[in-house]
Amino acid sequence: QVQLVESGGGLVQAGGSLRLSCTASGGTFGAMGWFRQAPGKEREFVAAISGRWSGRMTNYANSAKGRFTISGDNTLNTVYLQMTSLNVEDTAIYYCAARELTSRAYNCWGQGTQVTVSS
């Protein structure tokens, strides 16, 4: 059974940085991603990284480009999201997601970690 556990969220002032971590177990993963959901909004994609079979490519939402960096170990059992230059619009619950090798879409989700950016 796949389990994803996020950590690293918290309260930070605008302009600050946070690093989120996601520890995955119970599966073999083709890609890992970070999504977020702000109050009253739909969940949105933030960043993703593919496994070594796909060249470890990274992909970012426009809002994350240049500020956020996704990284992970070779097996993608641990994935990070380094966030810099945070602003109040980044306030959301951040979710780690995994796509198993046998799946074409993200099929496993963590419980989420709250990130709050104060002005």
Side-chain angles (χ1 to χ4, degrees):
Q1 182 178 357
V2 175
Q3 283 191 317
L4 305 179
V5 179
E6 303 101 330
S7 61
L11 175 63
V12 63
Q13 286 191 328
S17 300
L18 278 177
R19 190 177 80 157
L20 305 182
S21 300
C22 175
T23 301
S25 60
T28 303
F29 308 109
M32 298 288 287
W34 287 96
F35 292 73
R36 68 186 183 185
Q37 187 167 18
K41 295 186 177 181
E42 294 189 352
R43 189 175 298 186
E44 63 177 5
F45 168 78
V46 177
I49 183 169
S50 63
R52 60 181 183 270
W53 302 275
S54 302
R56 295 183 62 80
M57 297 179 64
T58 57
N59 188 31
Y60 297 92
N62 286 336
S63 60
K65 288 179 181 177
R67 299 188 302 127
F68 295 1
T69 302
I70 188 169
S71 61
D73 63 13
N74 286 335
T75 59
L76 296 183
N77 286 109
T78 304
V79 177
Y80 304 99
L81 185 67
Q82 178 69 48
M83 304 185 294
T84 63
S85 300
L86 286 162
N87 55 61
V88 294
E89 289 75 28
D90 296 315
T91 295
I93 300 175
Y94 284 70
Y95 296 91
C96 178
R99 177 178 65 77
E100 293 182 278
L101 284 180
T102 54
S103 177
R104 294 186 176 183
Y106 291 103
N107 60 330
C108 310
W109 295 84
Q111 81 288 351
T113 185
Q114 177 70 48
V115 172
T116 303
V117 184
S118 62
S119 59

